Structures are given as structure tokens and as C-alpha cells.
Amino acid sequence: MKTYKIALLAGDGIGPEVMKQAVKVLKAVEARNPEVAFELNEALFGAVAYFETGKSFPAETIAICDEADAILKGTIGLNHEDSKKIPVDEQPERGALLPLRRRYNTYANFRPVYLPQELAHFSPLKPEVIGDGIDLMIIRELVGGLYFGEKEVGKDDNGKRYVREVLEYDEDQIRDILKVGFETAQRRKKVMHNIHKSNVLKSSVLWNEILEEVAVDYPDVEVKHILVDAAATYLCLNPGQFDVMVMENMFGDILSDQGGGILGSLGLMPSACVGPEKSYYEPSHGSAPDIAGKNIANPYSMIGSVALMLEMSFGMEQEAKNLWHAMKSVFANGYGTPDLAKGEDAKLIDTDAFGDMVVDELNKAPRA
Ligand code: IPM
Ligand code: MG
């Protein structure tokens, strides 16, 4: 029997309601796999933690995460107005999420943009653009660049307000994420799109230089270079040309949300944030305060993050496949949460029902 400790950081907004579905699924997986047990440890994280403890990533939560084999995070953040009730540096994004990423050096962020036939009708793209479906992997560097560079806000000698934010990468950081890109490409279609902006940014010039060096070790992978702005266009016009796309932090933030756009909802964007020793898993979307507590949020990104955790942290590849299949089946049967189920014959279900149906579908797969 193998016991995995999982830290559960439900967070703010829709976080708790989608996390509830993740827990349902984990219990089902546990019941189906007698050799595996999950020890689930809930901890406060985000605005909810700030209001309770004065810190959005409190020491008790850090301790629970340190102890965990993997971390499952819901969503964090408040709406624009409520955010102002928290000092800038304790606001959940700056005070909790970035420190979490930094603490475990989760530099490799995998964001699958996956639109199999069962989900194709959700996409705003035309069927002829979608073709056989979309299946690409955005690999985003997650602990460098503008997000983590030095920041300065002040007034110049003339009394004008200014801001300065540094975009910094050293060659090791670039090499590490590019290796992840190449290795992922080797496991998939052996093509990697390198997303950059070397016509303007020196950071991209260095990035591309390192890429030439790293590429020598991966002769079987074909590298295609594309400027980030053009990549945004082609994601809409011809997403099928992409398989693995590798890029720095900020580019990845933006293009991965666009990935959600071409799928039809950010509710279809799970992610894995992988570090050398510890990884955490989270939906790519925000906390959607406008729909929080209504039981209408789409838990696919959250449950998909569980599937990624099973595969990448616990080596439970078959069960992860079963879980993806279970989620697809719910859609194939015509059901969907309100972000997706539109039109007259849409079979609308709520967050809880989605979680229940995924468990029912999962239990149709043979047990371990
Ligand atoms: C994401 C989110 C975060 C980011 C926010 C919440 C800080 O948008 O994970 O993509 O920008 O990285
Ligand atoms: Mg984002």
C-alpha cells in the first residue's frame, strides 16, 4: 500500500466548489485502487487565508505543503474592489501564488489545450479550422521573467511617477525549461514550436542562443521558431499545426488563456506546475468571484488537474487516462455546465452533478 499526502488549497471564489469535485474524484480513485491511499490535508491559501490569519500563504499552510507529496490548488483572488481590502503585497496573487511557485521552484508549467471530437462543438472556431481536433501542449516557464524580476515604483526628479520591472533570465533557467520542451516533444510528435520575440527583446535573443546549444542533444526534434504575436494569430487560424509550444512566463500566461479561448472556455484548462522535488496542480483559470457559491462553475479544469497529478506525481497513468475518458464521456453524453452548454438541446448540469457524473463514468472503467 502506498500512501500519498496531498495538500488541498481550495482558495477563493469558485475554488472550494471545484475542489469539492476533485476530492470526490480522489475518493473514487482511492476506492478503485486498493494499493493506493490518499491523505488529504486542507490548508488555507489566498484571500481566505489573509482574512483569517493576516497572511495569504500562512506558515501552517507552508508546513502542510512542505510535507506533501503533491499539492492540489483551487483558485485564488478577489474581484477588483474586494482586492483593495488587502495590502498589495498580501494580495493572493503576489502574496500566495507567486511565493508558492518560488518556494517549490515549479519552473515547468504544462498547460494542455485539448479539444477531442467530444468537445469540438464547444469551440468558437469553425469545424474546418478544428479539423480532427486540437491537442497541443503549452509549456510555460513559471518562475522567471517579468513576474519575478526586481520591481520599483517611484517619482523621478521632475516629480513624474514611474515604474520599472525587470525581465530577467539566466542561462540555466532557459536551458532547464527548453529541455522540458524537447523532452516533451520527444514523447509526442517530435516537433517543438519555440515562441519568442527576438526582433525586440534581448531576453529572446539569449533564449534562442541557448536553444541552439540545447538542440544539439535532441537531433530527433524539429524546432520551429515563431514570434509570439504571430503565434497568437495562428492559434486561431490553424491550431492543428502546433504540438509542443515552449515559451517564457508572461508569453505563456497570455497564450494559455488564448488556448482556453479556442477551446470555448477557460473551464477546459487544467495545468501541472512541476518542480525538481515537488509539483502542484491547478486550473489555469481564475476564481470567478461573479459566479462563486452558485454551484455552476465548470470543474473540468480542476478534475483535469487531478488527472495530471495522478499521472505526473503518482505514476498512475492508466487511472489518469480513465479519468480523462470519464470527463469526455460526460460531454459526449451531451451534458455541460452553463459556460459550455448553450442552445436548445443543451443538457445543463451544475458543478456537483458534473463531479458525480465523472465518478459514475470513471467507475465504468475496469478497476486496478
Ligand atoms: C495563471 C494566472 C496567474 C498568472 C495569476 C493568478 C497570477 O493567470 O496561472 O495563468 O498570471 O500566472
Ligand atoms: Mg493566467
Side-chain angles (χ1 to χ4, degrees):
M1 165 80 88
K2 173 81 193 148
T3 300
Y4 294 108
K5 284 188 188 173
I6 307 173
L8 300 180
L9 315 178
D12 308 315
I14 58 171
E17 44 203 295
V18 292
M19 183 63 86
K20 195 171 141 202
Q21 312 315 315
V23 169
K24 248 182 221 173
V25 168
L26 283 169
K27 300 248 187 246
V29 169
E30 201 176 33
R32 292 167 43 76
N33 293 268
E35 294 306 310
V36 169
F38 298 126
E39 182 187 316
L40 306 178
N41 298 310
E42 291 180 24
L44 292 170
F45 190 71
V48 63
Y50 173 78
F51 290 124
E52 200 125 319
T53 71
K55 288 272 172 207
S56 55
F57 190 18
E60 308 84 84
T61 300
I62 294 176
I64 288 175
C65 291
D66 282 355
E67 282 293 303
D69 295 304
I71 300 164
L72 193 61
K73 176 194 149 278
T75 60
I76 50 134
L78 301 177
N79 64 33
H80 191 69
E81 279 311 304
D82 288 339
S83 278
K84 293 182 193 155
K85 297 175 188 156
I86 305 181
V88 173
D89 288 329
E90 278 303 323
Q91 285 170 2
E93 296 80 356
R94 264 178 297 264
L97 185 56
L98 297 189
L100 174 73
R101 290 174 181 173
R102 185 188 285 124
R103 184 170 183 85
Y104 303 113
N105 188 22
T106 56
Y107 67 98
N109 182 205
F110 293 82
R111 298 197 158 177
V113 182
Y114 179 50
L115 192 80
Q117 284 306 333
E118 292 88 340
L119 280 74
H121 56 292
F122 297 136
S123 173
L125 302 181
K126 295 192 184 103
E128 58 266 34
V129 175
I130 296 171
D132 297 334
I134 300 170
D135 182 5
L136 62 94
M137 180 65 85
I138 291 184
I139 298 180
R140 169 187 179 193
E141 197 292 325
L142 201 61
V143 295
L146 270 176
Y147 275 56
F148 289 88
E150 208 184 296
K151 295 170 199 296
E152 184 182 305
V153 188
K155 278 191 184 161
D156 68 14
D157 296 346
N158 301 318
K160 259 194 200 164
R161 286 168 292 174
Y162 74 90
V163 60
R164 205 179 127 261
E165 301 195 84
V166 177
L167 197 176
E168 198 169 11
Y169 274 107
D170 69 31
E171 60 176 294
D172 295 342
Q173 286 176 296
I174 298 173
R175 197 174 293 112
D176 287 349
I177 192 69
L178 287 174
K179 280 186 186 168
V180 171
F182 276 108
E183 279 158 22
T184 309
Q186 277 184 328
R187 286 195 302 272
R188 294 175 52 116
K189 294 189 180 154
K190 300 191 166 47
V191 180
M192 182 177 87
H193 276 85
N194 175 46
I195 312 300
H196 66 98
K197 187 73 186 174
S198 69
N199 53 349
V200 177
L201 300 178
K202 288 274 179 76
S203 51
S204 286
V205 174
L206 179 63
W207 179 283
N208 291 351
E209 229 174 85
I210 310 278
L211 191 146
E212 300 298 322
E213 296 164 16
V214 178
V216 175
D217 295 331
Y218 302 90
D220 52 335
V221 174
E222 182 188 0
V223 177
K224 296 188 174 183
H225 296 277
I226 182 162
L227 294 167
V228 60
D229 45 354
T233 305
Y234 285 111
L235 268 176
C236 294
L237 296 182
N238 182 12
Q241 72 181 289
F242 297 114
D243 191 60
V244 171
M245 303 173 81
V246 67
M247 64 203 79
E248 66 89 53
N249 200 344
M250 183 95 199
F251 295 166
D253 180 40
I254 297 169
L255 286 192
S256 62
D257 264 33
Q258 192 180 339
I262 65 176
L263 298 184
S265 172
L266 273 178
L268 298 176
M269 287 288 294
S271 90
C273 309
V274 177
E277 265 133 50
K278 203 179 301 253
S279 301
Y280 86 92
Y281 299 83
E282 65 178 353
S284 302
H285 56 69
S287 59
D290 51 323
I291 60 162
K294 297 186 176 161
N295 195 28
I296 58 172
N298 181 356
Y300 177 101
S301 300
M302 186 78 242
I303 300 174
S305 302
V306 172
L308 290 171
M309 178 173 73
L310 295 178
E311 180 197 329
M312 299 173 83
S313 279
F314 307 151
M316 298 176 71
E317 277 167 33
Q318 185 53 47
E319 195 66 335
K321 276 190 195 139
N322 295 340
L323 186 49
W324 287 117
H325 184 76
M327 285 196 288
K328 274 193 295 195
S329 303
V330 175
F331 291 129
N333 295 339
Y335 296 100
T337 41
D339 54 318
L340 292 172
K342 300 199 169 93
E344 277 172 15
D345 20 284
K347 294 196 243 171
L348 208 59
I349 48 170
D350 62 24
T351 312
D352 274 326
F354 191 98
D356 293 340
M357 283 185 185
V358 169
V359 169
D360 288 346
E361 291 295 334
L362 179 64
N363 283 331
K364 291 181 187 167
R367 286 171 185 248

